[in-house]
Amino acid sequence: MSAPIQRNQQPGWTRFRHGDFECTVVTDGLLHMGPPRDTFPHADPQEIDRLLADAYLPTETIELDQNLLIVNTGRQLVLFDTGVGINAELGVKTFGKLTGRALSSMRAAGIAPEQIDVIALTHAHPDHCWGLVDDDGNKLYPNARVCINRVDMEYWTDLGNIRDTMSEHMKDHFRGAHLNILAYRDVITFLADGDEVVPGITAHLTPGHSPGHMVYRIASQGRALLNWGDLCHHQILLLKRPNWAFKFDSDSAAAAVSRLRVLDWACGENMEILSYHFPFPGRGHLRRNADGYDWLPTRLELEAPEALS
Ligand SMILES: [Zn+2]
C-alpha cells in the first residue's frame, strides 16, 4: 500500500536572533509577476532568459516572495510592511489566492496582530501597504502606529494623482494606499533620512522605485541587518544588472542610483540583508564580483533562538 500524497506545506515563518533582538520572518505568499521581459522592460530579453536559465530559474514568469520582517526589540514589536492583504477587491483580486497569508503566518508564529506596536513601511505599493485594513476598512493592527516617508504617503494616497490613461491596476495603487494608510492617519509618524524608528532601528531614504522609498538599518550588539524592501527585487537579475529598470519603478534611473549606493554601503559594512522579494526568508549577504553582486543566503535555522539575556 502506498503512502498518501500529503499536499500540504510547513507554516510560512522562521525565526532568528539578531543581537538582542528576536526576528521573525512571515510570508504573505508568492507573487507571480508574469513574463520577465515585461517585468524588466528595458533589458534585452535574450540576456534576461540567459541569466535566469543559468541560475536554474523559470524563464516564463518572475516569481517574487513577500518576506515580512517582525523585530521584537524587547520593548516593542515592529512589523516591516504588510503584504498585499486580504481585501477581495484589491489584494486577492489582483494577486490571487496564493497571497494574503500574512496574518495566518504571523499567528502560526505565535504573534497576534494586536501585539504589533509599530508598522514601518518601506513604501506605499500594494504588496507593502494593502495589508493594513480588512474588507470594511477596519485596522488589522489596532494598536500600531505607522511610520512612512511623507513624500511617499502623500503621493500614493492622493486620488488626484490618478490619470485616465492609467491602467486599472495602476489606479488601484492609489485607491489601495488611500484606503489602507489613511485608516491610520491619526497615528502616522513621518520619517526622514536618518530618523530613528525605535532605539536601534533607523530609516534611510532610497528614492526611485517609489518617490519616498526607505530602507531600515537594524542594529544590535554591533551587528547590522538591512531590511531593504524593494531596493532590489531579484537575486540574480538586479544584482548582476543593478542598472536595469523594474516595471513598477516610479523613476528607474533614480532607483538604480539608490540601488548602487546601498549595495556599496551594505558590502562596505558587511551588513546582513533582509530582502522583501528574494526567496524566503530573504536573509543573506552580498559579495561583489566582476559581474555585479552574488547573493549568499543565510542558512534557514531550524533551532529555536537562544533565550534573550
Ligand atoms: Zn514590492
Side-chain angles (χ1 to χ4, degrees):
M1 192 179 122
S2 60
I5 302 296
Q6 300 287 352
R7 296 186 191 280
N8 58 6
Q9 193 53 280
Q10 77 277 9
W13 65 272
T14 184
R15 183 162 282 150
F16 61 96
R17 183 166 167 176
H18 172 70
D20 286 338
F21 298 167
E22 185 178 76
C23 298
T24 305
V25 182
V26 301
T27 184
D28 189 51
L30 188 66
L31 299 176
H32 280 284
M33 302 302 291
R37 61 190 60 197
D38 298 336
T39 310
F40 300 93
H42 306 314
D44 172 5
Q46 289 185 331
E47 190 177 10
I48 296 175
D49 285 353
R50 181 179 61 75
L51 287 169
L52 291 171
D54 281 353
Y56 299 93
L57 291 172
T59 54
E60 57 281 357
T61 182
I62 293 289
E63 295 176 331
L64 300 182
D65 270 295
Q66 296 182 89
N67 305 317
L68 283 58
L69 175 65
I70 303 168
V71 177
N72 189 338
T73 67
R75 292 167 57 194
Q76 286 178 299
L77 201 54
V78 183
L79 166 67
F80 295 89
D81 295 334
T82 69
V84 300
I86 54 176
N87 188 311
E89 293 302 310
L90 289 170
V92 177
K93 179 188 80 174
T94 307
F95 298 101
K97 60 182 170 52
L98 291 179
T99 63
R101 296 175 55 188
L103 292 180
S104 59
S105 301
M106 216 175 279
R107 289 196 177 99
I111 297 171
E114 295 77 15
Q115 293 176 298
I116 302 289
D117 299 299
V118 179
I119 300 170
L121 297 175
T122 57
H123 63 304
H125 274 177
D127 48 325
H128 300 262
C129 82
W130 282 9
L132 284 167
V133 302
D134 66 13
D135 263 354
D136 298 319
N138 300 312
K139 291 180 182 181
L140 291 170
Y141 302 95
N143 301 312
R145 65 184 172 95
V146 169
C147 297
I148 186 172
N149 178 265
R150 181 189 288 272
V151 172
D152 221 70
M153 191 200 102
E154 290 183 348
Y155 178 70
W156 290 111
T157 58
D158 184 353
L159 300 181
N161 286 328
I162 294 177
R163 299 283 173 265
D164 290 343
T165 53
M166 290 176 177
S167 66
E168 283 305 306
H169 176 57
M170 189 49 71
K171 291 176 182 173
D172 278 348
H173 276 51
F174 295 93
R175 298 172 185 139
H178 186 269
L179 176 73
N180 278 274
I181 296 178
L182 293 188
Y184 292 77
R185 70 179 84 210
D186 297 334
V187 286
I188 286 179
T189 304
F190 289 119
L191 296 174
D193 188 38
D195 280 356
E196 183 178 86
V197 180
V198 298
I201 301 178
T202 48
H204 302 271
L205 187 62
T206 49
H209 176 60
S210 186
H213 187 278
M214 311 284 277
V215 300
Y216 294 93
R217 184 177 187 275
I218 300 154
S220 180
Q221 296 286 358
R223 299 179 58 199
L225 175 70
L226 189 68
N227 183 65
W228 75 14
D230 282 10
L231 181 93
C232 181
H233 290 79
H234 199 275
Q235 72 277 18
I236 299 294
L237 299 181
L238 288 182
L239 285 183
K240 294 199 179 298
R241 301 289 182 268
N243 281 309
W244 279 4
F246 183 79
K247 183 177 182 180
F248 292 107
D249 288 341
S250 284
D251 179 340
S252 293
V257 169
S258 289
R259 188 177 304 120
L260 287 163
R261 179 168 57 82
V262 172
L263 289 171
D264 192 53
W265 176 36
C267 272
E269 280 201 26
N270 293 318
M271 270 190 275
E272 192 169 31
I273 307 295
L274 201 296
S275 180
Y276 194 76
H277 287 304
F278 283 16
F280 182 83
R283 184 182 172 207
H285 285 84
L286 298 168
R287 185 172 57 204
R288 200 190 317 257
N289 63 26
D291 191 26
Y293 293 83
D294 287 327
W295 177 244
L296 307 172
T298 305
R299 172 178 170 268
L300 185 65
E301 293 173 20
L302 300 175
E303 307 76 31
E306 307 161 37
L308 298 176
S309 50

